[in-house]
Amino acid sequence: MIYLRMKKKISGITIECIRGDITGQSDVTAIVNAANAQLRPGGGVAGAIHHAAGPGLARECRPMAPIMPGVSVISGGHNLPNRFVIHCLGPVYGLDEPSDVLLADCYRNALLLADENKIDSIAFPAISTGAFGYPVEPAAEIAFRTIMDTSPLLKNIRLIRMVLYSQSDLEVHEKALSEAD
Ligand code: AR6
């Protein structure tokens, strides 16, 4: 089967979706962590990132915690193949309100922080759609709408990748990306 990677270009920035593991994105400068407020390892994406990065990541993050929903902070990549990790606290669906605004804040703040740090390429997981319970369809629409709206402000980022863990999440995101403008 020939697999075509879903891509779109806006303001000179390539936006794409792939199926994969966020810790396996060795060709991007920064990966985004779907963090907890304490910036501790935890499960899901955060567990995988801290496991791959090693204990130095949690040590570096400790003084920056706690963070509020929608906020992003930056650290080094430690043993990851990426130079930086941007840690975002997504909203817990139905608890941190307004969830849609807070989820959009995550994507916007992560992109602006990356751009300030002269990062050229960044990979995101589907923030809040795991343990935090955000339904994947609206989360995908918010992610791409915010990425599209923020892209014209970015001076350094040239690649934005969404990394989806399951085939069904990939399909939902491909549809949302094709419909976003
Ligand atoms: N690579 C890419 N995507 C992944 C990976 C991976 N290695 N592992 C899971 N996903 P979650 P949240 C998908 O729960 O909802 C943690 O315990 C997963 O299928 O990691 O923001 C933290 O400590 C889902 O679609 O993040 C926090 O307490 C998406 O990534 C809390 O969970 C996000 O799932 C954060 O919850």
Side-chain angles (χ1 to χ4, degrees):
M1 193 175 90
I2 298 172
Y3 175 68
L4 293 176
R5 186 178 285 198
M6 167 71 72
K7 280 187 185 185
K8 216 164 192 173
K9 209 156 189 175
I10 178 162
S11 307
I13 302 173
T14 299
I15 301 163
E16 65 181 19
C17 307
I18 65 160
R19 186 172 176 195
D21 188 315
I22 195 72
T23 62
Q25 308 304 310
S26 55
D27 59 333
V28 298
T29 305
I31 59 170
V32 174
N33 183 15
N36 50 69
Q38 297 303 327
L39 304 175
R40 292 204 183 109
V45 166
I49 287 178
H50 278 270
H51 180 75
L57 181 61
R59 270 198 301 274
E60 183 185 353
C61 287
R62 203 169 298 139
M64 297 188 275
I67 61 169
M68 298 292 286
V71 169
S72 301
V73 295
I74 190 165
S75 73
H78 297 263
N79 296 338
L80 283 158
N82 318 96
R83 204 166 145 216
F84 298 104
V85 180
I86 295 187
H87 307 261
C88 287
L89 179 61
V92 177
Y93 191 69
L95 193 70
D96 296 318
E97 297 290 356
S99 297
D100 53 347
V101 174
L102 293 169
L103 187 60
D105 287 349
C106 282
Y107 285 95
R108 185 179 322 97
N109 290 332
L111 288 170
L112 294 174
L113 183 59
D115 205 57
E116 275 167 31
N117 282 275
K118 306 214 172 347
I119 287 166
D120 60 345
S121 50
I122 182 166
F124 283 89
I127 298 168
S128 282
T129 66
F132 285 178
Y134 213 115
V136 68
E137 281 89 358
E141 284 167 29
I142 291 165
F144 288 121
R145 194 186 328 125
T146 309
I147 288 170
M148 297 283 183
D149 289 350
T150 309
S151 288
L153 308 175
L154 304 174
K155 295 183 177 63
N156 298 300
I157 295 175
R158 286 294 163 262
L159 173 69
I160 303 171
R161 177 180 295 159
M162 285 291 302
V163 180
L164 292 318
Y165 215 35
S166 70
Q167 183 62 28
S168 63
D169 286 352
L170 175 66
E171 285 165 14
V172 168
H173 282 76
E174 285 183 332
K175 183 166 180 285
L177 176 56
S178 71
E179 289 170 358
D181 49 25

